[in-house]
Amino acid sequence: ELGIASLGDALAHDDAQPLIHAHLGDALQMLHRYQDALDSYDRALVYQPAFARVLYKRGNALQALRRHQDAVQSYDRALALKPNAVACLFNRGNALRDLGLHQQSLADYDRAIELSPLDWRVHANRGAALHALDMSQDAVLSYERAILLNPDDVLSRSNLGNALRALNRHTNAVRSCQAGVTTTWISG
C-alpha cells in the first residue's frame, strides 16, 4: 500500500508518466485490485499507446475480471508489437480457451511451445484444449510432456487420467491419478 501511495504521489505531480501508471497497475494487480489496475494500464496507454508490456498486463487484468474477449483484444494488440512474447501467447491461448475457442487456443499454445519448448504450463494447457476438442490421444501426449517437464504437476496427472479414461485405458488412468495423489502427499 505504501508503494501505491508513493506512485500516486508521483502521478499527482505529473500524470503524463506511462511507466509510473504501469508500475501502479502492477502493484494494484498484485493486490488483486484488477479494476483499479486496469484503470492504471488504460491511463498509461493514453500516453504511450504502443506499450506492449502494458497491453499484456492489461489483458491479464481483464482475464482476472473474466472479460475474456476484451483480454484477447488486449493480447492481440500486444502481440502485434511483440509477436514472439511467449507469456502473451500463453495467456491469449488461455483467454481463447475460456471463451470455448479451443481450436484457436491451440495455435497460440503451439507457437508458445515453438518458442519455449520447456514450459510445462503450455503443454498442460494445450492438453486441456485438445481434450475439450475430443482429441484425447493428442491430449495424453501433451499431458505426458507437461509431467515430464514438471513431475510435481498434479493437475496434469489428473487430466492425463481423464484423457486416458476417455480412451478406455482405465488401468492407466487409475495409475495416473494414483501418481498424482502420491505426488501431492509427498510434496504436501
Side-chain angles (χ1 to χ4, degrees):
E1 292 288 335
L2 182 60
I4 290 172
S6 296
L7 292 169
D9 289 346
L11 290 171
H13 295 295
D14 183 6
D15 189 61
Q17 298 293 325
L19 194 55
I20 294 175
H21 283 289
H23 288 310
L24 179 57
D26 294 345
L28 291 164
Q29 192 153 201
M30 288 176 54
L31 295 173
H32 306 286
R33 291 174 52 187
Y34 301 113
Q35 185 58 55
D36 293 333
L38 179 61
D39 294 341
S40 289
Y41 295 136
D42 285 343
R43 194 77 185 138
L45 292 170
V46 166
Y47 298 108
Q48 190 174 340
F51 199 158
R53 185 180 72 78
V54 168
L55 289 163
Y56 163 71
K57 296 286 188 119
R58 181 179 185 277
N60 293 349
L62 289 162
Q63 247 322 65
L65 292 168
R66 305 195 57 73
R67 291 174 49 190
H68 308 301
Q69 187 61 50
D70 293 332
V72 169
Q73 292 172 355
S74 197
Y75 294 136
D76 286 345
R77 290 177 57 200
L79 287 164
L81 298 167
K82 294 198 179 258
N84 293 330
V86 173
C88 197
L89 287 163
F90 175 72
N91 286 359
R92 183 175 68 179
N94 293 341
L96 290 166
R97 205 181 76 211
D98 288 339
L99 289 168
L101 302 172
H102 304 289
Q103 194 67 47
Q104 288 177 262
S105 72
L106 285 176
D108 282 343
Y109 295 143
D110 288 342
R111 180 69 180 135
I113 288 169
E114 284 177 31
L115 297 166
S116 184
L118 301 180
D119 189 337
W120 63 272
R121 298 167 313 135
V122 182
H123 291 279
N125 287 17
R126 182 178 187 275
L130 289 163
H131 193 104
L133 291 168
D134 292 324
M135 299 172 69
S136 297
Q137 186 57 51
D138 293 327
V140 165
L141 298 174
S142 287
Y143 291 135
E144 286 175 340
R145 181 72 175 153
I147 294 164
L148 180 67
L149 294 168
N150 180 12
D152 295 332
D153 180 13
V154 177
L155 184 57
S156 285
R157 288 184 186 280
S158 175
N159 289 339
L160 173 60
N162 292 333
L164 289 167
R165 192 172 62 241
L167 294 169
N168 291 317
R169 293 170 51 191
H170 300 289
T171 302
N172 292 352
V174 169
R175 283 189 197 126
S176 178
C177 290
Q178 286 173 333
V181 170
T182 302
T183 301
T184 302
W185 183 77
I186 290 171
S187 63

